[in-house]
Amino acid sequence: MKSHLISGSLSAVALLAAFPCHAAKKSTARPNILLIMADDMGYSDIGCYGGEIPTPNIDRLANRGLRFTQFYNCGRSCPTRASLLTGLYSHQAGVGAMSEDPELKEGEDPEHQGQHGYMGFLNRNCVTMAEVLRDAGYHTYMTGKWHVGMHGKEKWPLQRGFEHFYGILAGATSYLQPRGGRGLTLDNMNLPAPRPPYYTTDAFTDHAIGFLDEQTDDKPFFLYLAYNAPHWPLQAKDADIEKMAGRYAKGWQETREARRQRMVEMGLVNDEWGLAEWDSRTWDQLSEEQQDKSALRMSVYAAQVYCMDYNIGRVIDYLESKGKLDNTLIIFLSDNGACAEPYSETGFGTIADINNQQHWVQPSYGKPWAMVSNTPYRKYKRRAYEGGIAAPLIMSWPEQTHEFASQFRHNICHVTDLMATFIDVANATYPKTYHGGNDIIPLEGTSLIPAIGNPEKKLHEYIFGEHADNCYVRWNDWKAVRDEVTDKWELYFIPDDRTERHDLAAEKPEQLKHLVGKWEEWANTHHVFPKGTGGRDTRLTDTNN
């Protein structure tokens, strides 16, 4: 690993504000910040959210911290990452659709319309967490998946505030041998394909710990550890696959119902919600060979999650060994719901493609397992139903969360809130201008810190979203959704029906009209133009279309 010797003076001590008066305050030093992102992982895949996959280290974070149950993202990888990094809605930051494609040259991607909201990379009217925190005296490191701009080094992590970066610029890569346009980058240098044995999850963790270990001063750090796991392709280490082997022979329905029951017992979901619609065959309709192959795909997926978990444990253990764990704010989340691509029962590729190092193939686990991963919610990645936009969020900061350890927080919150949270604890300043005088769009998020000691704290009145014609607005207990397939606004009362089984649009037309009107106001002020319209979609003014 390349050496990075970092020197600097001790940052000024800042008192933390906005904490409940009864929260613990063992240290007045600003905390280190560790942000861990999983890729395409479902709401219920990890143990502390009801899953059967062994995740003792993520569960450890939950046991020492808080689990948020109503945390929302942007429904897909690159919009969520743009929103996460900037504290803005993804269209404001320039990534309302997809990021730049590694298979195409700059300007060739047909999804990039040249409009502010759909440029495919972070624009210069936003600032990143790394830029804000570095200006506040933090060291800033990143390993893993970038996916918010790759054509031109001005879009790369080091040009957006990070001191060091190791990982991939693209949205997906081989776990075993990243190469070509999906290859590895160290700082501003493209690397050759690694020699086996190699595994991205391990390597991203190695470099994350390496960056921390090479720090020579006492300044706080911000580390963004963005795993590509468990995004396709299905590739896992043999030993991990063996540990997961046989766990999924019981099939989709039994696994899903067992997860739901655990979630009910935990208090994560209401029993009355039941399970969202199932839009595939049932397990007993498969042949024995089909069942074996499908179960194997899920075992490999589970192995990818399991590997990510024990690597997270390595980082936790490192921080603990250095006496830094108690004053490190750790956030763990997933970027969107589980991935059903290519929306078939078997997924991408064949069983023979699993762990193929010879060429770029993308075996995946299929739509039914994605619905299991998102238990009990509806649909999956890309869609604006709960299965697409609801994600686990864990906050662990032992010095501040120990009094409330292992509790749930049902406060409605959004991925934009993480920038505001980090500004809060770092005593940082969100700028009005940056990048040589460019006007910076005002911050959209709000700090999650008050929710540590106040479960009733209202963080948002409205939350909005649009991606690939999937639109939603959440207003307190109500949610309106316009799906890409039905092209019609639907209405749900979330406390009674978070699995979105009972559309109340016909019964509550005035309520729906209010929500759609608010969505349109947001769309017209946030650079939101559904794909292919070239401007405002006039159909949105009629809630019956």
Side-chain angles (χ1 to χ4, degrees):
M1 177 177 168
K2 182 179 178 181
S3 177
H4 300 280
L5 295 178
I6 307 164
S7 62
S9 60
L10 181 66
S11 63
V13 174
L15 294 176
L16 298 177
F19 285 89
C21 62
H22 54 286
K25 294 184 180 180
K26 292 185 178 179
S27 173
T28 58
R30 293 182 298 171
N32 302 303
I33 300 170
L34 170 58
L35 175 61
I36 307 172
M37 173 88 89
D39 193 359
D40 280 8
M41 190 193 77
Y43 190 94
S44 64
D45 277 328
I46 52 179
C48 54
Y49 276 76
E52 70 292 324
I53 302 172
T55 54
N57 297 293
I58 297 172
D59 298 350
R60 177 183 172 192
L61 293 177
N63 291 335
R64 299 190 70 179
L66 302 169
R67 280 168 286 176
F68 287 78
T69 65
Q70 296 194 85
F71 172 75
Y72 291 97
N73 53 54
C74 302
R76 207 170 193 173
S77 174
C78 32
T80 292
R81 288 160 203 273
S83 194
L84 170 83
L85 283 164
T86 65
L88 303 176
Y89 282 106
S90 60
H91 307 76
Q92 295 173 300
V95 193
M98 295 297 290
S99 180
E100 295 173 313
D101 190 328
E103 312 301 333
L104 299 173
K105 296 179 181 179
E106 186 171 8
E108 289 185 342
D109 196 324
E111 292 236 50
H112 301 164
Q113 303 297 318
Q115 299 168 342
H116 179 110
Y118 301 91
M119 300 301 293
F121 54 87
L122 296 181
N123 60 42
R124 295 287 166 170
N125 296 114
C126 65
V127 288
T128 69
M129 292 172 171
E131 288 167 336
V132 171
L133 292 173
R134 190 171 184 177
D135 286 354
Y138 273 67
H139 287 295
T140 55
Y141 313 122
M142 180 182 173
T143 65
K145 172 176 167 177
W146 179 238
H147 205 202
V148 285
M150 64 182 301
H151 293 308
K153 288 187 178 180
E154 72 278 2
K155 303 169 186 174
W156 291 14
L158 264 63
Q159 284 64 48
R160 297 309 305 249
F162 287 97
E163 293 177 43
H164 297 295
F165 169 74
Y166 172 84
I168 60 170
L169 301 172
T173 192
S174 167
Y175 289 72
L176 304 170
Q177 198 172 57
R179 59 186 181 271
R182 300 181 183 277
L184 296 163
T185 300
L186 176 61
D187 292 342
N188 282 331
M189 178 175 59
N190 290 322
L191 300 177
R195 295 182 178 180
Y198 179 90
Y199 197 72
T200 54
T201 306
D202 297 336
F204 294 161
T205 307
D206 290 342
H207 282 76
I209 293 173
F211 291 154
L212 296 179
D213 206 39
E214 290 166 359
Q215 183 175 316
T216 58
D217 58 29
D218 293 325
K219 292 169 65 174
F221 66 79
F222 166 55
L223 169 60
Y224 176 30
L225 177 47
Y227 290 112
N228 61 320
H231 193 293
W232 48 257
L234 291 174
Q235 294 180 332
K237 291 181 281 187
D238 290 341
D240 293 341
I241 296 174
E242 289 174 9
K243 289 185 174 69
M244 302 300 117
R247 291 173 182 253
Y248 297 99
K250 57 189 176 183
W252 305 319
Q253 279 72 35
E254 280 196 41
T255 305
R256 192 182 189 215
E257 177 57 26
R259 286 191 180 194
R260 190 189 75 86
Q261 290 290 345
R262 284 192 294 270
M263 296 171 86
V264 169
E265 292 169 5
M266 289 178 178
L268 263 171
V269 303
N270 294 342
D271 196 14
E272 296 76 18
W273 294 344
L275 287 165
E277 64 176 358
W278 182 259
D279 56 0
S280 186
R281 291 193 292 173
T282 57
W283 189 252
D284 59 8
Q285 293 176 303
L286 275 63
S287 68
E288 184 176 348
E289 180 183 7
Q290 290 172 326
Q291 289 178 350
D292 290 344
K293 289 181 176 179
S294 182
L296 174 60
R297 288 176 185 260
M298 183 61 194
S299 293
V300 179
Y301 174 92
Q304 292 171 258
V305 174
Y306 175 73
C307 178
M308 177 179 64
D309 178 81
Y310 67 69
N311 273 280
I312 290 171
R314 292 175 57 205
V315 181
I316 295 172
D317 290 345
Y318 173 82
L319 294 174
E320 191 166 40
S321 73
K322 299 297 182 180
K324 296 182 177 182
L325 182 61
D326 285 352
N327 196 33
T328 297
L329 168 60
I330 303 176
I331 298 286
F332 173 84
L333 73 157
S334 183
D335 60 349
N336 44 248
C339 180
E341 293 167 358
Y343 312 105
S344 68
E345 191 174 85
T346 57
F348 285 121
T350 68
I351 294 298
D353 291 327
I354 295 173
N355 281 353
N356 188 321
Q357 295 185 52
Q358 302 308 312
H359 60 279
W360 172 239
V361 291
Q362 310 99 23
S364 59
Y365 68 166
K367 183 169 68 172
W369 285 121
M371 289 188 284
V372 172
S373 286
N374 294 328
T375 301
Y377 300 129
R378 187 176 180 185
K379 299 296 183 182
Y380 24 74
K381 171 184 175 179
R382 175 181 170 118
R383 311 292 272 278
Y385 297 110
E386 296 292 281
I389 61 173
L393 176 75
I394 299 169
M395 175 191 289
S396 177
W397 183 5
E399 284 194 359
Q400 302 295 340
T401 60
H402 80 281
E403 187 177 340
F404 315 100
S406 202
Q407 293 183 9
F408 291 117
R409 289 292 178 267
H410 304 296
N411 317 66
I412 299 169
C413 50
H414 188 258
V415 66
T416 55
D417 297 336
L418 297 182
M419 167 75 97
T421 302
F422 298 162
I423 288 173
D424 188 355
V425 301
N427 196 28
T429 300
Y430 185 84
K432 293 182 179 180
T433 61
Y434 208 79
H435 307 300
N438 288 345
D439 291 336
I440 299 301
I441 299 170
L443 188 64
E444 290 281 350
T446 186
S447 175
L448 299 179
I449 296 303
I452 292 178
N454 186 0
E456 305 303 318
K457 174 67 176 178
K458 186 174 182 178
L459 300 173
H460 294 274
E461 186 171 8
Y462 295 94
I463 291 176
F464 303 94
E466 184 277 328
H467 177 67
D469 287 335
N470 294 286
C471 312
Y472 79 94
V473 52
R474 178 76 192 263
W475 175 49
N476 297 327
D477 291 335
W478 292 92
K479 181 185 176 190
V481 179
R482 197 189 80 166
D483 186 65
E484 63 180 38
V485 173
T486 63
D487 198 28
K488 179 180 70 174
W489 282 100
E490 304 163 18
L491 181 68
Y492 299 97
F493 186 65
I494 296 301
D496 292 346
D497 182 30
R498 199 174 175 195
T499 49
E500 296 167 304
R501 299 190 300 174
H502 307 291
D503 179 8
L504 301 176
E507 298 175 36
K508 302 283 186 180
E510 291 303 313
Q511 193 81 296
L512 180 60
K513 183 178 180 180
H514 169 75
L515 268 71
V516 174
K518 287 294 184 181
W519 187 92
E520 290 187 335
E521 290 178 16
W522 170 78
N524 281 321
T525 55
H526 287 70
H527 307 281
V528 179
F529 306 121
K531 185 177 67 176
T533 65
R536 287 292 294 112
D537 186 342
T538 56
R539 293 174 299 168
L540 299 178
T541 62
D542 183 352
T543 60
N544 293 317
N545 284 342

